[in-house]
Short mmCIF file of all heavy atoms in Angstrom, two decimals:
data_model
loop_
_atom_site.label_atom_id
_atom_site.label_comp_id
_atom_site.label_asym_id
_atom_site.label_seq_id
_atom_site.Cartn_x
_atom_site.Cartn_y
_atom_site.Cartn_z
N GLY X 20 53.78 6.13 -38.42
CA GLY X 20 53.25 4.67 -38.34
C GLY X 20 53.63 4.10 -36.95
O GLY X 20 53.89 2.96 -36.77
N GLY X 21 53.61 4.89 -35.88
CA GLY X 21 53.90 4.35 -34.57
C GLY X 21 55.38 4.21 -34.21
O GLY X 21 55.85 3.79 -33.13
N LYS X 22 56.18 4.45 -35.28
CA LYS X 22 57.73 4.37 -35.12
C LYS X 22 58.46 5.60 -34.78
O LYS X 22 58.12 6.68 -35.49
CB LYS X 22 58.27 3.71 -36.43
CG LYS X 22 59.73 3.23 -36.35
CD LYS X 22 59.97 2.56 -37.67
CE LYS X 22 61.45 2.07 -37.72
NZ LYS X 22 62.34 3.21 -37.68
N LEU X 115 50.86 7.12 -20.49
CA LEU X 115 50.38 5.72 -20.47
C LEU X 115 50.72 4.95 -21.90
O LEU X 115 51.21 3.86 -21.84
CB LEU X 115 48.75 5.73 -20.44
CG LEU X 115 48.26 6.11 -19.12
CD1 LEU X 115 46.80 5.87 -18.90
CD2 LEU X 115 48.93 5.51 -17.94
N TRP X 116 50.65 5.79 -22.90
CA TRP X 116 50.86 5.21 -24.20
C TRP X 116 52.47 5.03 -24.52
O TRP X 116 52.82 4.35 -25.42
CB TRP X 116 50.25 6.03 -25.36
CG TRP X 116 48.79 5.61 -25.33
CD1 TRP X 116 47.76 6.23 -24.52
CD2 TRP X 116 48.25 4.26 -25.76
NE1 TRP X 116 46.66 5.39 -24.51
CE2 TRP X 116 46.82 4.39 -25.26
CE3 TRP X 116 48.67 3.25 -26.40
CZ2 TRP X 116 45.98 3.28 -25.49
CZ3 TRP X 116 47.80 2.12 -26.70
CH2 TRP X 116 46.53 2.16 -26.22
N SER X 117 53.32 5.83 -23.66
CA SER X 117 54.70 5.52 -23.86
C SER X 117 55.14 4.11 -23.72
O SER X 117 56.09 3.53 -24.11
CB SER X 117 55.42 6.29 -22.86
OG SER X 117 55.35 5.84 -21.57
N ALA X 118 54.22 3.30 -22.92
CA ALA X 118 54.45 1.84 -22.67
C ALA X 118 54.31 1.11 -23.98
O ALA X 118 54.78 -0.02 -24.13
CB ALA X 118 53.51 1.24 -21.65
N PHE X 119 53.59 1.74 -24.91
CA PHE X 119 53.26 0.97 -26.20
C PHE X 119 54.09 1.38 -27.49
O PHE X 119 53.71 1.11 -28.49
CB PHE X 119 51.72 0.99 -26.51
CG PHE X 119 51.00 0.28 -25.36
CD1 PHE X 119 50.39 1.07 -24.31
CD2 PHE X 119 50.96 -1.09 -25.30
CE1 PHE X 119 49.81 0.43 -23.41
CE2 PHE X 119 50.33 -1.67 -24.17
CZ PHE X 119 49.76 -0.97 -23.20
N LEU X 120 55.20 2.20 -27.11
CA LEU X 120 56.02 2.55 -28.19
C LEU X 120 56.71 1.37 -28.86
O LEU X 120 57.00 1.26 -29.94
CB LEU X 120 57.02 3.55 -27.68
CG LEU X 120 56.67 4.91 -27.39
CD1 LEU X 120 57.59 5.76 -26.62
CD2 LEU X 120 56.26 5.80 -28.72
N GLU X 121 56.89 0.38 -27.93
CA GLU X 121 57.66 -0.84 -28.40
C GLU X 121 56.86 -2.11 -28.06
O GLU X 121 57.27 -3.26 -28.06
CB GLU X 121 58.91 -0.95 -27.61
CG GLU X 121 59.90 0.08 -28.24
CD GLU X 121 61.02 0.44 -27.25
OE1 GLU X 121 60.97 0.03 -25.99
OE2 GLU X 121 61.93 1.27 -27.60
N ASN X 122 55.46 -1.98 -27.77
CA ASN X 122 54.68 -3.25 -27.46
C ASN X 122 53.25 -2.91 -28.04
O ASN X 122 52.71 -1.84 -28.13
CB ASN X 122 54.53 -3.37 -25.91
CG ASN X 122 55.87 -3.54 -25.35
OD1 ASN X 122 56.39 -4.59 -25.31
ND2 ASN X 122 56.36 -2.50 -24.68
N GLU X 123 52.55 -3.93 -28.32
CA GLU X 123 51.07 -3.90 -28.61
C GLU X 123 50.15 -3.92 -27.48
O GLU X 123 50.38 -4.68 -26.56
CB GLU X 123 50.71 -5.08 -29.50
CG GLU X 123 51.21 -5.10 -30.98
CD GLU X 123 50.66 -3.99 -31.76
OE1 GLU X 123 49.45 -3.76 -31.76
OE2 GLU X 123 51.42 -3.20 -32.34
N ALA X 124 49.17 -3.18 -27.59
CA ALA X 124 48.20 -3.05 -26.44
C ALA X 124 47.21 -4.38 -26.53
O ALA X 124 46.75 -4.65 -27.64
CB ALA X 124 47.47 -1.77 -26.35
N GLN X 125 46.82 -4.84 -25.35
CA GLN X 125 45.84 -5.86 -25.23
C GLN X 125 44.85 -5.37 -24.21
O GLN X 125 45.17 -5.30 -23.08
CB GLN X 125 46.45 -7.25 -24.77
CG GLN X 125 47.53 -7.78 -25.60
CD GLN X 125 47.17 -8.52 -26.76
OE1 GLN X 125 46.04 -9.18 -26.89
NE2 GLN X 125 47.96 -8.44 -27.78
N TYR X 126 43.64 -5.23 -24.73
CA TYR X 126 42.55 -4.68 -23.78
C TYR X 126 41.83 -5.72 -23.05
O TYR X 126 41.60 -6.77 -23.68
CB TYR X 126 41.63 -3.82 -24.53
CG TYR X 126 42.33 -2.64 -25.25
CD1 TYR X 126 42.47 -2.82 -26.64
CD2 TYR X 126 42.73 -1.48 -24.56
CE1 TYR X 126 43.03 -1.79 -27.40
CE2 TYR X 126 43.38 -0.53 -25.39
CZ TYR X 126 43.53 -0.61 -26.72
OH TYR X 126 44.13 0.45 -27.34
N PRO X 127 41.30 -5.60 -21.93
CA PRO X 127 41.58 -4.40 -21.05
C PRO X 127 42.84 -4.54 -20.31
O PRO X 127 43.32 -5.56 -19.91
CB PRO X 127 40.41 -4.42 -20.08
CG PRO X 127 40.05 -5.91 -19.93
CD PRO X 127 40.38 -6.53 -21.26
N PHE X 128 43.45 -3.36 -20.10
CA PHE X 128 44.74 -3.33 -19.27
C PHE X 128 44.62 -2.44 -18.08
O PHE X 128 43.87 -1.39 -17.99
CB PHE X 128 45.93 -3.18 -20.08
CG PHE X 128 46.08 -1.72 -20.79
CD1 PHE X 128 46.56 -0.63 -20.18
CD2 PHE X 128 45.81 -1.69 -22.11
CE1 PHE X 128 46.79 0.55 -20.88
CE2 PHE X 128 45.89 -0.50 -22.78
CZ PHE X 128 46.49 0.68 -22.13
N ARG X 257 44.33 -8.02 -19.13
CA ARG X 257 45.25 -8.69 -20.04
C ARG X 257 46.61 -8.24 -20.03
O ARG X 257 47.55 -8.87 -20.64
CB ARG X 257 44.64 -8.60 -21.45
CG ARG X 257 43.25 -9.49 -21.50
CD ARG X 257 42.68 -9.56 -22.78
NE ARG X 257 43.55 -10.31 -23.75
CZ ARG X 257 43.62 -10.29 -25.10
NH1 ARG X 257 42.60 -9.49 -25.68
NH2 ARG X 257 44.39 -11.03 -25.81
N GLN X 258 46.83 -6.98 -19.53
CA GLN X 258 48.24 -6.43 -19.39
C GLN X 258 48.33 -5.64 -18.09
O GLN X 258 47.36 -4.85 -17.76
CB GLN X 258 48.60 -5.61 -20.60
CG GLN X 258 48.85 -6.49 -21.79
CD GLN X 258 49.11 -5.58 -23.11
OE1 GLN X 258 48.45 -4.39 -23.12
NE2 GLN X 258 49.89 -5.97 -23.95
N LEU X 259 49.50 -5.63 -17.57
CA LEU X 259 49.75 -4.61 -16.48
C LEU X 259 50.76 -3.51 -16.97
O LEU X 259 51.78 -3.96 -17.59
CB LEU X 259 50.57 -5.25 -15.42
CG LEU X 259 49.72 -6.13 -14.27
CD1 LEU X 259 50.59 -6.63 -13.21
CD2 LEU X 259 48.59 -5.26 -13.62
N VAL X 260 50.49 -2.36 -16.76
CA VAL X 260 51.27 -1.25 -17.40
C VAL X 260 51.66 -0.24 -16.32
O VAL X 260 50.70 0.04 -15.39
CB VAL X 260 50.49 -0.49 -18.52
CG1 VAL X 260 51.06 0.67 -18.98
CG2 VAL X 260 50.06 -1.42 -19.58
N PRO X 285 50.86 -10.43 -18.53
CA PRO X 285 52.09 -9.88 -19.11
C PRO X 285 52.24 -8.39 -18.51
O PRO X 285 51.25 -7.60 -18.52
CB PRO X 285 51.67 -9.91 -20.61
CG PRO X 285 50.64 -10.90 -20.70
CD PRO X 285 49.89 -10.92 -19.41
N LEU X 286 53.44 -8.01 -18.25
CA LEU X 286 53.82 -6.66 -17.93
C LEU X 286 54.45 -5.85 -19.01
O LEU X 286 55.20 -6.45 -19.83
CB LEU X 286 54.89 -6.86 -16.76
CG LEU X 286 55.56 -5.42 -16.23
CD1 LEU X 286 54.42 -4.67 -15.51
CD2 LEU X 286 56.71 -5.80 -15.48
N VAL X 287 53.98 -4.61 -19.13
CA VAL X 287 54.42 -3.77 -20.26
C VAL X 287 54.91 -2.43 -19.63
O VAL X 287 54.13 -1.73 -19.01
CB VAL X 287 53.29 -3.37 -21.20
CG1 VAL X 287 53.87 -2.62 -22.32
CG2 VAL X 287 52.60 -4.59 -21.73
N LEU X 288 56.21 -2.27 -19.69
CA LEU X 288 56.88 -1.03 -19.17
C LEU X 288 57.48 -0.31 -20.27
O LEU X 288 58.05 -0.89 -21.16
CB LEU X 288 57.87 -1.51 -18.18
CG LEU X 288 57.35 -2.07 -16.89
CD1 LEU X 288 58.61 -2.56 -16.06
CD2 LEU X 288 56.53 -1.27 -16.11
N PHE X 303 53.33 9.92 -30.49
CA PHE X 303 52.64 8.59 -30.80
C PHE X 303 51.13 8.77 -30.49
O PHE X 303 50.42 8.20 -31.27
CB PHE X 303 53.43 7.63 -29.82
CG PHE X 303 53.01 6.30 -29.79
CD1 PHE X 303 53.53 5.35 -30.85
CD2 PHE X 303 52.00 5.70 -28.97
CE1 PHE X 303 53.05 4.06 -30.90
CE2 PHE X 303 51.61 4.41 -29.01
CZ PHE X 303 52.15 3.51 -29.96
N LYS X 307 47.74 8.69 -33.02
CA LYS X 307 46.62 7.70 -33.10
C LYS X 307 45.31 8.53 -33.23
O LYS X 307 44.37 8.03 -33.94
CB LYS X 307 46.49 7.05 -31.67
CG LYS X 307 47.51 5.86 -31.55
CD LYS X 307 47.41 5.36 -30.14
CE LYS X 307 48.20 3.98 -30.01
NZ LYS X 307 47.31 2.93 -30.84
#
Side-chain angles (χ1 to χ4, degrees):
K22 190 170 174 292
L115 296 188
W116 286 94
S117 68
F119 297 101
L120 287 166
E121 289 155 354
N122 299 282
E123 283 295 314
Q125 304 280 329
Y126 304 104
F128 63 81
R257 294 187 63 200
Q258 285 174 328
L259 280 182
V260 174
L286 174 67
V287 186
L288 297 174
F303 182 85
K307 282 180 167 289

